[in-house]
């Protein structure tokens, strides 16, 4: 499960959380239904936005939901899931972009892909996903060639980019691809008038996705010697943040021009477009804050543990100088909690040992319980943990339920 829009259940509320999960499961099942079980690994949080936008624009009719059978990822519960052309378009886009991502990793010889047998298998998988995405895209009237062309142009642009190259030159292919996908949701929903504002929202969403990925990976890329657009073009983080904020404002303005299923704009409290508006106008802003380590939340006093490009936290975690451990690893190994000789805490009552915990962690991750389950058992502690939808990233859950962290009131009068 990857993507930049990762909402917190405390902000979604039960109704919108159910809708969000319906689209996530719908994308996963659309991938399985058209392309087999293995294709489900490309399920991602951003891809489901296509399904959300399609349904939000369509007139309210039956047939947008179906009851899916028990699934291990839902604790063997049935669920109402999204279906139809929106879910299939989301599946097509996810497959084509995942195919391009795999080819990119193969070309860079990342990790195991540096080995010829693994690289050969990965190329075959990528080619299969590309063909499958093209077929599904054709079935719903979407030409995935625009996505493939954007990926191909991206490679050439990155090869020529250097200090002084405008950062928006590097993000342009991603912007073009996401603009086409967003605009086609208007076609599927029978709202051709929405195509232009949604293309603009999609273009800016693609810019944000590229920028935030670059910001989050900059340190890792520098350590591994991988190409990063910010480093390659010499763009400072302050400028990247300015571009991200401008893109976010542009998305909010574009959404004002969209007519949802009931024919009203989101600021008029349209129930049809509420989830789409919340994800793109509200949660996307939190994604920007998360990537840059800042907070746009009105409860900044509760969130000063965030660390990022714009300064250290006011007080740190258990390894900060103010902590009772005085900067030392309580389990040994020197001042760096991850440095020195490995030293693992002995398992306490009910706990798993280190290696048994590793095996349990693999099982939890491979079954996606961390992402999809309401609760799961901690691999080492065996304590009950909340899934991603239960992990509030604003550090002020009780306050969120009262005022919904409403820094976004400035973008509209939606009351979210």
């Amino acid at each position: 499960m990857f993507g930049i829009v990762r909402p917190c259940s405390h902000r979604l509320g039960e109704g919108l959380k159910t809708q969000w999960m319906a689209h996530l499961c719908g994308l996963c099942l659309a991938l399985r239904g058209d392309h087999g079980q293995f294709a489900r690994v490309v399920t991602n949080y951003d891809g489901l936005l296509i399904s959300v936008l399609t349904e939000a624009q369509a007139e309210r009719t039956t047939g947008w939901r179906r009851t899916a059978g028990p699934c291990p990822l839902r604790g063997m519960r049935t669920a109402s899931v999204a279906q139809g052309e929106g879910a299939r378009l989301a599946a097509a886009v996810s497959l084509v972009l995942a195919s391009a991502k795999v080819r990119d990793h193969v070309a860079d010889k990342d990790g195991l892909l540096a080995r010829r047998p693994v690289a050969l298998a990965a190329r075959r998988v990528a080619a299969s996903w590309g063909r499958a995405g093209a077929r599904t895209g054709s079935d719903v009237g979407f030409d995935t060639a625009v996505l493939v062309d954007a990926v191909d142009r991206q490679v050439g642009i990155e090869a020529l980019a250097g200090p002084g190259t405008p950062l928006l030159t590097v993000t342009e292919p991603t912007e073009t691809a996401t603009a086409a996908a967003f605009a086609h949701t208007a076609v599927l929903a029978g709202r051709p008038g929405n195509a232009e504002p949604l293309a603009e929202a999609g273009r800016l969403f693609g810019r944000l996705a590229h920028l935030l990925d670059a910001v989050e990976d900059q340190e890792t890329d520098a350590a591994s010697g991988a190409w990063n657009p910010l480093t390659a073009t010499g763009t400072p983080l302050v400028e990247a943040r300015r571009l991200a904020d401008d893109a976010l404002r542009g998305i909010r303005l574009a959404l004002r021009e969209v007519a949802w299923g009931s024919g009203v704009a989101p600021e008029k409290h349209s129930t049809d477009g509420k989830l789409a508006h919340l994800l793109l106008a509200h949660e996307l802003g939190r994604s920007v804050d998360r990537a840059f380590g800042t907070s746009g939340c009105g409860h900044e006093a509760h969130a000063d543990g965030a660390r990022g490009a714009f300064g250290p936290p006011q007080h740190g975690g258990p390894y900060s100088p103010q902590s009772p451990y005085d900067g030392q690893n309580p389990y040994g190994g020197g001042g760096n909690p991850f440095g020195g000789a490995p030293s693992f805490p002995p398992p306490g009552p009910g706990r798993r040992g280190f290696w048994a915990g590793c095996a349990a962690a693999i099982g939890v991750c491979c079954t996606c319980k961390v992402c999809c389950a309401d609760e799961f058992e901690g691999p080492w502690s065996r304590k009950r943990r909340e899934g991603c939808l239960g992990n509030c990233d604003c550090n002020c859950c009780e306050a969120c339920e009262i005022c919904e962290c409403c820094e976004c009131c400035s973008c509209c009068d939606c009351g979210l």
Side-chain angles (χ1 to χ4, degrees):
M1 302 292 184
F2 53 95
I4 63 173
V5 183
R6 303 189 294 271
C8 163
S9 62
H10 293 95
R11 290 189 296 263
L12 285 179
E14 194 59 36
L16 291 180
K17 176 185 174 182
T18 299
Q19 288 186 43
W20 190 84
M21 286 297 299
H23 288 284
L24 182 63
C25 292
L27 170 57
C28 182
L29 293 175
L31 287 163
R32 185 198 67 178
D34 288 345
H35 310 293
Q37 289 283 0
F38 185 64
R40 299 171 81 177
V41 302
V42 308
T43 304
N44 67 92
Y45 294 138
D46 294 344
L48 69 87
L49 288 172
I50 302 296
S51 178
V52 171
L53 285 171
T54 303
E55 184 177 290
Q57 296 172 77
E59 294 289 347
R60 282 287 172 247
T61 59
T62 58
W64 287 101
R65 292 282 191 273
R66 70 178 180 87
T67 301
C71 174
L73 307 184
R74 294 191 298 268
M76 297 307 295
R77 296 191 297 267
T78 60
S80 176
V81 303
Q83 66 172 348
E85 293 184 328
R88 297 191 71 199
L89 175 60
V93 171
S94 297
L95 280 167
V96 173
L97 296 182
S99 170
K101 191 70 172 178
V102 170
R103 292 201 306 271
D104 184 54
H105 284 306
V106 170
D108 292 341
K109 297 183 179 180
D110 292 335
L112 290 175
L113 295 175
R115 301 181 180 181
R116 288 176 60 87
V118 178
L120 179 61
R123 287 194 188 96
R124 289 179 176 174
V125 170
S128 173
W129 282 348
R131 291 191 298 268
R135 288 196 304 271
T136 302
S138 178
D139 290 344
V140 296
F142 181 67
D143 186 1
T144 58
V146 66
L147 306 183
V148 176
D149 175 69
V151 171
D152 291 342
R153 286 190 298 108
Q154 187 76 53
V155 175
I157 289 173
E158 291 181 0
L160 296 174
T165 301
L167 187 58
L168 297 188
T169 299
V170 180
T171 63
E172 180 275 324
T174 307
E175 295 177 22
T176 300
T178 51
F182 274 46
H184 195 69
T185 65
V187 177
L188 294 182
R191 296 273 187 180
N194 287 342
E196 185 175 347
L198 284 176
E200 177 67 4
R203 182 180 67 83
L204 295 173
F205 180 84
R207 178 183 299 178
L208 264 180
H210 204 133
L211 284 172
L212 300 189
D213 183 65
V215 170
E216 292 176 343
D217 292 347
Q218 190 172 26
E219 289 186 7
T220 304
D221 290 343
S224 63
W227 194 91
N228 183 281
L230 298 179
T231 304
T233 61
T235 304
L237 285 170
V238 173
E239 174 64 10
R241 179 63 194 249
R242 185 189 69 79
L243 292 172
D245 288 339
D246 285 348
L248 184 60
R249 282 192 290 271
I251 290 172
R252 290 170 172 172
L253 290 173
L255 290 179
R256 287 178 174 268
E257 306 301 320
V258 176
W260 303 110
S262 58
V264 300
E267 62 269 22
K268 300 303 183 183
H269 300 273
S270 165
T271 301
D272 303 315
K274 188 173 183 179
L275 178 61
H277 180 70
L278 185 144
L279 294 176
L280 287 170
H282 299 246
E283 291 299 332
L284 196 53
R286 295 185 175 97
S287 298
V288 172
D289 292 327
R290 183 168 56 240
F292 285 92
T294 59
S295 176
C297 177
H299 307 285
E300 291 183 13
H302 298 273
D304 50 11
R307 178 185 298 272
F310 288 81
Q314 298 298 316
H315 52 78
Y319 302 112
S320 69
Q322 293 80 16
S323 76
Y325 301 121
D326 196 23
Q328 299 297 314
N329 178 1
Y331 304 124
N336 179 1
F338 303 107
S343 177
F344 308 113
R351 289 176 57 92
R352 290 189 179 94
F354 176 73
W355 296 112
C358 287
I362 292 172
V364 168
C365 292
C366 289
T367 57
C368 295
K369 287 186 177 180
V370 174
C371 305
C372 302
D374 291 332
E375 289 186 340
F376 64 94
E377 185 181 82
W380 287 276
S381 67
R382 308 192 78 161
K383 294 179 180 178
R384 302 305 298 174
R385 308 285 188 188
E386 288 187 334
C388 287
L389 286 179
N391 290 334
C392 182
D393 59 7
C394 63
N395 297 321
C396 54
C397 299
E398 293 181 359
C400 285
E401 293 175 341
I402 298 173
C403 72
E404 300 288 345
C405 284
C406 201
E407 88 280 358
C408 36
C409 285
S410 59
C411 79
C412 64
D413 299 319
C414 64
L416 289 173

